[in-house]
Amino acid sequence: MIAFVIPLEYFIRLSKQAAKLQIRIDSDLKEAAEKVFSEIGMDTTTAVRMFLKRVTQTRSIPFPLRVEPAFSKEDQARILAVWDESKDPSNLSASYSDVEAMIASMRQSETE
C-alpha cells in the first residue's frame, strides 16, 4: 500500500480562484529581470508572487525606498561653493533700493 501525505495548503491553494495580473513595463527591463530570475531558477510569475507575498506579510515594500539626489556629488559641491560665494558682500555687483532699480540696472548692463 502506498500512502501520500498532501499538505492542507495544497487544497486551500487549489480552492482559491487565480487572478490575472497584467502590467506594462519596458521590454529591456523585462528581459534583464527574466535573465536574473532564470539564473536563480525561477520564472517571472514566481518572482512577482514572492514579491506580493512579502508585501502582504510585512505590510510594506520589501526594500528601502528613497529619493536619489537629482544632482551628482560634484554638482552639489559646486552649488554649495556658489552659495557660499554669494554670502560674501564683495561678490555683489551693487545694492538696490527696490526691484525696479535692480531691473533697470540689469537692462542697462544688457545694452552695454
Side-chain angles (χ1 to χ4, degrees), residues 2-45:
I2 300 174
F4 293 99
V5 177
I6 301 174
L8 183 58
E9 282 182 355
Y10 180 79
F11 293 105
I12 293 171
R13 205 173 327 161
L14 288 179
S15 67
K16 294 181 182 178
Q17 185 175 355
K20 186 175 185 177
L21 174 66
Q22 284 186 306
I23 59 171
R24 293 199 181 278
I25 59 170
D26 180 87
S27 60
D28 292 338
L29 173 62
K30 179 180 180 279
E31 289 173 16
E34 286 175 338
K35 182 179 178 188
V36 173
F37 299 148
S38 176
E39 290 172 1
I40 58 177
M42 74 174 62
D43 60 8
T44 303
T45 300

Side-chain angles (χ1 to χ4, degrees), residues 19-107:
K20 186 175 185 177
L21 174 66
Q22 284 186 306
I23 59 171
R24 293 199 181 278
I25 59 170
D26 180 87
S27 60
D28 292 338
L29 173 62
K30 179 180 180 279
E31 289 173 16
E34 286 175 338
K35 182 179 178 188
V36 173
F37 299 148
S38 176
E39 290 172 1
I40 58 177
M42 74 174 62
D43 60 8
T44 303
T45 300
T46 302
V48 170
R49 187 178 294 116
M50 290 172 66
F51 170 77
L52 295 175
K53 188 71 169 174
R54 181 55 58 120
V55 167
T56 60
Q57 289 172 342
T58 63
R59 301 188 50 76
S60 65
I61 302 296
F63 45 82
L65 297 176
R66 61 184 167 267
V67 175
E68 296 297 328
F71 299 104
S72 69
K73 292 199 180 292
E74 293 81 17
D75 290 340
Q76 291 176 33
R78 282 193 298 264
I79 291 168
L80 290 174
V82 169
W83 175 256
D84 288 340
E85 286 178 23
S86 73
K87 295 176 185 177
D88 182 356
S90 67
N91 290 327
L92 298 176
S93 59
S95 61
Y96 304 99
S97 58
D98 55 32
V99 174
E100 287 80 15
M102 180 184 72
I103 293 172
S105 174
M106 290 170 53
R107 288 190 176 141

